[in-house]
Amino acid sequence: GAGVSQTPSNKVTEKGKYVELRCDPISGHTALYWYRQSLGQGPEFLIYFQGTGAADDSGLPNDRFFAVRPEGSVSTLKIQRTERGDSAVYLCASSSPPGTANTGELFFGEGSRLTVL
Amino acid sequence: AQSVTQLDSQVPVFEEAPVELRCNYSSSVSVYLFWYVQYPNQGLQLLLKYLSGSTLVESINGFEAEFNKSQTSFHLRKPSVHISDTAEYFCAVSRNQAGTALIFGKGTTLSVSS
């Protein structure tokens, strides 16, 4: 697609439920990132994929959070046993390979707003 | 550890006035610095970046930022703002040019009124 696509745009769930958020990056972008943005805060890094593998998952808050990118394109962020504190906008971004045009630029999707009741 | 501090959470200005959005960072390693902008109901997008070379970098819509190593700052400026510049602005630092593990500030809301 032309840009980074995230679905769903809005998700309301109950505490304890399981949630999946999907990200479809820009075609040809090898790197994919997940961030979380809470109200009044800047985006907080969660995990970064280079190809199919997670190159850096140091930002995942705990083992309830997991992300996959099985074919090196679409990624899914999975949250188990959701808690009210997980409510936030989850942002996905992708970037082109190093050395290409737009080095250092992350292209963000519009985010998935998660509300845990 | 690296961190970014945006000193102003909200900056209200009148149209055609100059503006400065302040950003300070801390890092023990070489840094690459970015400003991202989020217009209402849109995703974050890159405004400008400093990777190396000239310390003054410019965007296509008239913003500029200067990397000041001694003051660990990367303030964003525009000599004359437009209503359409109303947005939230985020300063970010990265340990590498690929932009992995960007660390963002809390953001500054710029509100331009007529």
Side-chain angles (χ1 to χ4, degrees), chain A residues 33 35 37 40-45 48 56 91 95 98 102-110, chain B residues 34 36 38 41-46 49 51 90 95 97-102 104-107:
Chain A
Y33 314 79
Y35 284 80
Q37 187 173 16
Q41 302 294 317
E44 171 194 7
F45 171 76
Y48 152 60
D56 183 350
L91 300 170
S95 65
N102 302 319
T103 292
E105 181 171 1
L106 269 60
F107 293 81
F108 283 86
E110 293 188 13
Chain B
F34 305 81
Y36 278 79
Q38 187 169 26
N41 301 314
Q42 296 186 27
L44 280 159
Q45 55 187 281
L46 181 68
K49 62 186 178 184
L51 302 180
F90 294 93
R95 291 191 297 269
Q97 291 184 347
T100 60
L102 275 178
F104 285 87
K106 291 185 176 182

Side-chain angles (χ1 to χ4, degrees), chain B:
Chain B
Q2 293 162 289
S3 67
V4 175
T5 302
Q6 291 186 245
L7 297 165
D8 306 294
S9 59
Q10 297 197 26
V11 174
V13 294
F14 288 109
E15 196 173 18
E16 298 183 6
V19 71
E20 178 180 80
L21 307 183
R22 296 179 291 170
C23 173
N24 287 93
Y25 68 91
S26 66
S27 175
S28 57
V29 298
S30 297
V31 296
Y32 304 98
L33 294 158
F34 305 81
W35 277 98
Y36 278 79
V37 59
Q38 187 169 26
Y39 297 105
N41 301 314
Q42 296 186 27
L44 280 159
Q45 55 187 281
L46 181 68
L47 184 62
L48 47 74
K49 62 186 178 184
Y50 169 77
L51 302 180
S52 64
S54 172
T55 58
L56 183 66
V57 291
E58 298 177 350
S59 72
I60 59 173
N61 60 350
F63 282 93
E64 64 179 31
E66 186 162 19
F67 169 55
N68 188 318
K69 188 174 182 179
S70 63
Q71 297 186 5
T72 61
S73 69
F74 191 55
H75 300 330
L76 182 69
R77 302 183 181 96
K78 188 170 185 179
S80 176
V81 293
H82 302 291
I83 298 283
S84 60
D85 292 323
T86 294
E88 188 151 20
Y89 293 79
F90 294 93
C91 183
V93 62
S94 170
R95 291 191 297 269
N96 56 50
Q97 291 184 347
T100 60
L102 275 178
I103 299 168
F104 285 87
K106 291 185 176 182
T108 298
T109 300
L110 174 64
S111 300
V112 182
S113 57
S114 56

Side-chain angles (χ1 to χ4, degrees), chain A residues 11-17 19 81-88 114-117:
Chain A
K11 176 70 176 180
V12 180
T13 190
E14 294 178 342
K15 179 183 172 183
K17 298 290 187 182
V19 166
R81 304 183 304 281
T82 52
E83 300 177 357
R84 292 192 180 87
D86 299 335
S87 296
L114 175 65
T115 302
V116 182
L117 301 177

Side-chain angles (χ1 to χ4, degrees), chain A residues 1-5 24-32 69 72-74 94-97 107:
Chain A
V4 176
S5 175
D24 194 348
I26 292 173
S27 178
H29 280 191
T30 55
L32 183 146
R69 196 187 184 197
S73 178
V74 171
S94 65
S95 65
S96 55
F107 293 81

